[in-house]
Amino acid sequence: MDIKNLIAKNINYNNIDFSGMVSENLDKSMGDYSIACFSLAKILRKSPVQIANEIKDNISLGSLISKVEVVNGYINFFLNKNYFAREILKEIDNNQLFEKDKNLKSKTICLDYSSVNLAKYMHIGHLSTTIIGESLARIFEEKGYNVVRINYIGDFGTPFGKMVYAHLTWGSEKELEERGVDYLQDLYVEFCKRATDEPELEEHAREYFKKICDKDPVAYPIYLKFIDISKIEAKRILDELNVHFDSWKGESAYSDELNNIVSQLNQKGLLKTSQGAQVVDLEPYDLGTCLIQKSDGTSLYTSRDIAAAIDRYNQYHFDQMIYVTAVQQKLHFEQFFKVLELMGYDFASKLSHVYYGMFSLPTGKIASRKGKQAVLVDLMEYSKNKVNQIIAERNYSEDKKSEIAKKIAYSALKFTPIKNERIKDTVFDVENAFSFDGDTSAYMQYTYARICSILKKANIQTSFEDVDFDKINSDCVSNLIIALNNYSNIISRAVEQKEPSIISKYTMDMCKLINKFYTTEKVMTDDITSTKSKLFLLVCIKKILKKLFHLICIDVVDEM
Ligand code: ARG
C-alpha cells in the first residue's frame, strides 16, 4: 500500500500536488506520517499554521487514517492501526505484496558480471562484481524483469601466450593434470619473474599468442585445455556461492570481429592512425583517445567489448545492459559507450556501468599466495573454519554443523560488498563478520532461525482468519507493519539506483524491529487469541525475510 501517495491523493487544496511532500515520522507519538507546510507559506502568502489547518479541513481520508492533527506548521496523520495491519497481512498472506509488474516481463536486462580472467585465481575482488551483479539480477527479477546473466570470461589476450610458452618451455603436462589452476597460476608468476631478467620472453609470449589466434596445431589445443581447466574451477566456486549464469560467452568469441568493427568505424570516418595503432579521438567529449586496434593488428579489450555489445543486442534485444566492475574501469566503459553511439547504435543509451569500490582484508590476515590479493577460495576456507569454531559446542550432527557453518560463513562473505553503498571501499572485518551480534549477516540469519524455532515449538496452526488485530497493535508491532508495507517501495528504489545496499539496510532494520518485538512482547501466553495472532504475524515476517535474504544472497538457516 503506498500510504504516502494515498494521503497525498486525498487532499484537495489549491490544486497542489502533495505527492512527494508526505514523509514517515521517526517519532510515531507525533503521528505516523506528516506534511510540513513551510514551503507553501511563501507561495500562498499565509502562515504555515493557517495552511495546515486549511488543508486539514480539506482532507477526505477513508478507513486508513484515524486522526489528523495540526502542530505548528505540520499536519500529522495517525494510521488506523487495525485497518492498516489487516490490509498488509492480507497482502502478504495472499502474495499480493510480492506481485511482479507484468509489463516488465517482456523487458530484458542483460547483466555482465563476475567476468573473471581465466587461468588465474579468483581473488577476493571478484566477490564484489559477482555478488553485486547477482544481487542486482535477483532484485530486477523480483521487480518483474527478464534477466540474462552473462559471465564474460577473460579467455583471450597475451597472458595466454605467456602461459602456453612457459608450459611448453619449462612446464610439465603431469603437473598440469594434477594441480590444475594452481599450476597455471604458478606458470604465470614464474613467467613474470623470469621476464624481468630475460626481456626477450615477452617477444616469445607475443609469438605464442599469435599462434593461439592462428589456431596453431600445438599451441591452440594447449590454450583450450587451460581454458577448460580454469572454467571448471570458476564454475565450481560460483556454484558454491550459488551464482549461476545463462551465458559464458567470453572475450575470445569476439576477437575475429575486429575487422568488421574497424570497417564500420572507417565508414563513419571515425578512425585515426596514431603511432601505428587505430584510435577514435574522444577529446571533444573529454574522454581522451580510445584505442581500437593495436599496431600489430590485434584486437583490444575495448574493441572486443564493442563487438560483444552489438552481438548481445542482436541476440537479446535488451532494454538495459549493465556492466558490473570496479570503479577503475569507468573510463573504459564511458569510452566504448561513446564509440557505439558515434557508430550510430541507438542502443548505446541503454548501456550503463555499475561500479564499486575496493574490497580488501586487514593486512596479514590471510596470506595472499603469490599474487597481490588474497585468493577467494582461501578466504572461503578460512571463513568456514572460523564459523566451525564458533559453533563447535552446538548439539548438532557433524553434517548439520558443517552445513550451517558453510551457510553462515559464505553469507558473511557475500554480504560484505553489498552491506554499504557499493562505491564505498570495504575492509572485510575478519573478527566480527561472523558474530551473531551487530550489523552482520549472521545476526539476520539468527533472527530468521529464531522465528522458525518459535513457530516450531508453538506447533499451532494459524491463519489470517485467526488474527485479532487488537492483539497486535502495540507501537512496536505497528512499526514492524509499516516496515513490511515498505517492501515494494524499497525494491523500486533499489532498482532505480541499481543499489543492493538499499535492500541490505532495509533487511537489517527489519531484523532489529523483530528482535525488539521479542524483547518487549511475549508471543506464547495463556491468551490463545493473542498467541495465534502473534504467531501469524511471525509467519508473515518469515515469508518476507526469506525473500529479502534471497535478494541479498544470504542463505536461510532454519536453526542455529
Ligand atoms: N575480465 C575483466 C576484468 O577482470 C572484466 C570484464 C567486465 N566486462 C566487460 N564486458 N568488460 O577486469
Short mmCIF file of all heavy atoms in Angstrom, two decimals, residues 29 38 71 122 142 206 210 236 241 282 296 301 310 314 344 396 416 426 431 514 516 535 559:
data_model
loop_
_atom_site.label_atom_id
_atom_site.label_comp_id
_atom_site.label_asym_id
_atom_site.label_seq_id
_atom_site.Cartn_x
_atom_site.Cartn_y
_atom_site.Cartn_z
N SER A 29 4.88 9.21 18.09
CA SER A 29 3.94 9.86 19.01
C SER A 29 3.37 11.11 18.36
O SER A 29 2.34 11.63 18.77
CB SER A 29 4.64 10.21 20.32
OG SER A 29 5.63 11.19 20.07
N PHE A 38 5.75 24.53 5.53
CA PHE A 38 6.58 25.75 5.46
C PHE A 38 6.87 26.20 4.04
O PHE A 38 6.86 27.38 3.73
CB PHE A 38 7.87 25.53 6.24
CG PHE A 38 7.61 25.04 7.63
CD1 PHE A 38 7.69 23.68 7.93
CD2 PHE A 38 7.20 25.92 8.62
CE1 PHE A 38 7.40 23.21 9.20
CE2 PHE A 38 6.91 25.47 9.90
CZ PHE A 38 7.01 24.10 10.19
N VAL A 71 0.13 20.55 14.26
CA VAL A 71 1.04 21.03 15.30
C VAL A 71 2.04 21.96 14.63
O VAL A 71 2.73 21.56 13.69
CB VAL A 71 1.82 19.85 15.96
CG1 VAL A 71 2.79 20.37 17.00
CG2 VAL A 71 0.85 18.86 16.58
N MET A 122 40.64 -16.77 -8.81
CA MET A 122 39.65 -15.73 -8.50
C MET A 122 40.11 -15.15 -7.17
O MET A 122 40.37 -15.89 -6.22
CB MET A 122 38.26 -16.35 -8.33
CG MET A 122 37.52 -16.51 -9.63
SD MET A 122 35.88 -17.26 -9.42
CE MET A 122 34.87 -15.81 -9.11
N GLU A 142 12.80 -9.75 -9.14
CA GLU A 142 11.73 -9.54 -8.17
C GLU A 142 10.78 -8.44 -8.64
O GLU A 142 9.58 -8.48 -8.46
CB GLU A 142 12.32 -9.21 -6.79
CG GLU A 142 11.33 -9.01 -5.67
CD GLU A 142 10.50 -10.25 -5.34
OE1 GLU A 142 10.83 -11.35 -5.83
OE2 GLU A 142 9.50 -10.11 -4.62
N ARG A 206 54.34 -12.97 -27.20
CA ARG A 206 53.55 -12.39 -28.30
C ARG A 206 53.44 -13.38 -29.46
O ARG A 206 52.38 -13.54 -30.05
CB ARG A 206 54.19 -11.08 -28.77
CG ARG A 206 53.67 -9.88 -28.00
CD ARG A 206 54.09 -8.57 -28.66
NE ARG A 206 55.51 -8.31 -28.50
CZ ARG A 206 56.04 -7.74 -27.41
NH1 ARG A 206 55.25 -7.38 -26.41
NH2 ARG A 206 57.32 -7.53 -27.31
N LYS A 210 50.05 -15.08 -30.88
CA LYS A 210 49.70 -15.06 -32.31
C LYS A 210 49.37 -16.49 -32.78
O LYS A 210 48.42 -16.71 -33.52
CB LYS A 210 50.88 -14.47 -33.10
CG LYS A 210 50.74 -14.41 -34.59
CD LYS A 210 50.61 -12.97 -35.06
CE LYS A 210 50.28 -12.75 -36.52
NZ LYS A 210 49.70 -13.85 -37.27
N ARG A 236 32.97 -24.13 -10.35
CA ARG A 236 32.86 -24.80 -9.05
C ARG A 236 32.72 -23.75 -7.93
O ARG A 236 31.84 -23.86 -7.06
CB ARG A 236 34.11 -25.66 -8.81
CG ARG A 236 34.03 -26.53 -7.56
CD ARG A 236 35.37 -27.20 -7.26
NE ARG A 236 36.41 -26.25 -6.87
CZ ARG A 236 36.53 -25.71 -5.66
NH1 ARG A 236 35.67 -26.01 -4.73
NH2 ARG A 236 37.50 -24.85 -5.39
N LEU A 241 28.93 -20.52 -4.29
CA LEU A 241 28.34 -19.24 -3.87
C LEU A 241 26.90 -19.10 -4.36
O LEU A 241 26.25 -18.08 -4.15
CB LEU A 241 29.18 -18.07 -4.41
CG LEU A 241 30.61 -17.98 -3.90
CD1 LEU A 241 31.38 -16.90 -4.64
CD2 LEU A 241 30.64 -17.71 -2.40
N LEU A 282 38.34 10.90 -28.80
CA LEU A 282 37.16 11.26 -27.99
C LEU A 282 37.43 12.53 -27.17
O LEU A 282 36.69 12.83 -26.24
CB LEU A 282 36.76 10.10 -27.07
CG LEU A 282 36.30 8.81 -27.76
CD1 LEU A 282 36.00 7.71 -26.73
CD2 LEU A 282 35.05 9.03 -28.62
N ASP A 296 50.16 -4.01 -33.96
CA ASP A 296 50.42 -5.31 -34.58
C ASP A 296 49.14 -5.91 -35.17
O ASP A 296 49.12 -7.08 -35.58
CB ASP A 296 51.05 -6.28 -33.56
CG ASP A 296 50.11 -6.61 -32.40
OD1 ASP A 296 48.94 -6.14 -32.43
OD2 ASP A 296 50.53 -7.32 -31.49
N TYR A 301 40.76 -5.00 -25.53
CA TYR A 301 39.63 -5.13 -24.60
C TYR A 301 38.44 -4.31 -25.10
O TYR A 301 37.32 -4.78 -25.18
CB TYR A 301 40.12 -4.65 -23.24
CG TYR A 301 39.18 -4.79 -22.08
CD1 TYR A 301 38.42 -5.95 -21.89
CD2 TYR A 301 39.06 -3.78 -21.13
CE1 TYR A 301 37.57 -6.08 -20.79
CE2 TYR A 301 38.23 -3.90 -20.04
CZ TYR A 301 37.47 -5.05 -19.87
OH TYR A 301 36.64 -5.16 -18.79
N ILE A 310 27.24 -5.33 -29.50
CA ILE A 310 26.41 -5.43 -30.72
C ILE A 310 25.80 -6.83 -30.81
O ILE A 310 24.60 -7.00 -31.05
CB ILE A 310 27.27 -5.14 -31.98
CG1 ILE A 310 27.80 -3.69 -31.91
CG2 ILE A 310 26.46 -5.36 -33.25
CD1 ILE A 310 28.84 -3.36 -32.98
N ASN A 314 21.76 -7.86 -30.70
CA ASN A 314 21.11 -8.67 -31.74
C ASN A 314 20.45 -9.90 -31.15
O ASN A 314 19.38 -10.31 -31.57
CB ASN A 314 22.12 -9.09 -32.80
CG ASN A 314 22.57 -7.90 -33.63
OD1 ASN A 314 21.85 -6.89 -33.71
ND2 ASN A 314 23.75 -7.98 -34.21
N GLY A 344 26.52 5.01 -34.43
CA GLY A 344 25.11 5.08 -34.83
C GLY A 344 24.23 4.04 -34.18
O GLY A 344 23.09 3.84 -34.61
N TYR A 396 24.57 -30.40 17.28
CA TYR A 396 24.06 -30.89 16.01
C TYR A 396 24.95 -32.03 15.51
O TYR A 396 26.10 -32.16 15.94
CB TYR A 396 24.10 -29.78 14.95
CG TYR A 396 23.24 -28.59 15.28
CD1 TYR A 396 23.80 -27.31 15.28
CD2 TYR A 396 21.89 -28.75 15.55
CE1 TYR A 396 23.02 -26.22 15.58
CE2 TYR A 396 21.11 -27.64 15.85
CZ TYR A 396 21.68 -26.38 15.86
OH TYR A 396 20.91 -25.30 16.15
N THR A 416 29.34 -8.76 2.59
CA THR A 416 30.30 -7.65 2.72
C THR A 416 30.25 -6.63 1.58
O THR A 416 30.14 -5.44 1.85
CB THR A 416 31.73 -8.21 2.91
OG1 THR A 416 31.69 -9.12 4.00
CG2 THR A 416 32.71 -7.11 3.22
N THR A 426 35.47 -1.33 1.12
CA THR A 426 35.14 -2.16 2.28
C THR A 426 36.35 -2.97 2.70
O THR A 426 37.05 -3.54 1.86
CB THR A 426 34.08 -3.26 1.95
OG1 THR A 426 33.82 -3.25 0.57
CG2 THR A 426 32.87 -3.15 2.78
N GLU A 431 37.30 -10.28 12.21
CA GLU A 431 36.98 -10.62 13.60
C GLU A 431 35.49 -10.64 13.88
O GLU A 431 35.00 -11.49 14.60
CB GLU A 431 37.66 -9.60 14.56
CG GLU A 431 39.17 -9.66 14.57
CD GLU A 431 39.73 -11.10 14.68
OE1 GLU A 431 39.15 -11.91 15.41
OE2 GLU A 431 40.73 -11.38 13.99
N ILE A 514 12.26 -6.79 14.66
CA ILE A 514 11.75 -8.10 15.08
C ILE A 514 12.33 -8.47 16.45
O ILE A 514 11.61 -8.93 17.34
CB ILE A 514 12.13 -9.19 14.04
CG1 ILE A 514 11.44 -8.90 12.71
CG2 ILE A 514 11.73 -10.58 14.54
CD1 ILE A 514 12.02 -9.64 11.52
N LYS A 516 13.34 -6.43 18.67
CA LYS A 516 12.73 -5.55 19.67
C LYS A 516 11.35 -6.11 20.06
O LYS A 516 10.97 -6.08 21.23
CB LYS A 516 12.58 -4.16 19.05
CG LYS A 516 12.34 -3.09 20.07
CD LYS A 516 12.59 -1.72 19.48
CE LYS A 516 12.05 -0.65 20.39
NZ LYS A 516 11.85 0.60 19.69
N LEU A 535 1.63 -15.34 16.31
CA LEU A 535 2.27 -16.38 15.51
C LEU A 535 2.03 -16.13 14.02
O LEU A 535 2.92 -16.29 13.19
CB LEU A 535 1.73 -17.77 15.89
CG LEU A 535 2.23 -18.34 17.22
CD1 LEU A 535 1.52 -19.65 17.54
CD2 LEU A 535 3.75 -18.55 17.22
N GLU A 559 17.76 -23.37 11.76
CA GLU A 559 18.15 -23.43 13.18
C GLU A 559 19.63 -23.10 13.30
O GLU A 559 20.42 -23.41 12.42
CB GLU A 559 17.85 -24.80 13.78
CG GLU A 559 18.29 -25.97 12.94
CD GLU A 559 17.86 -27.31 13.52
OE1 GLU A 559 17.46 -27.35 14.69
OE2 GLU A 559 17.95 -28.31 12.81
#
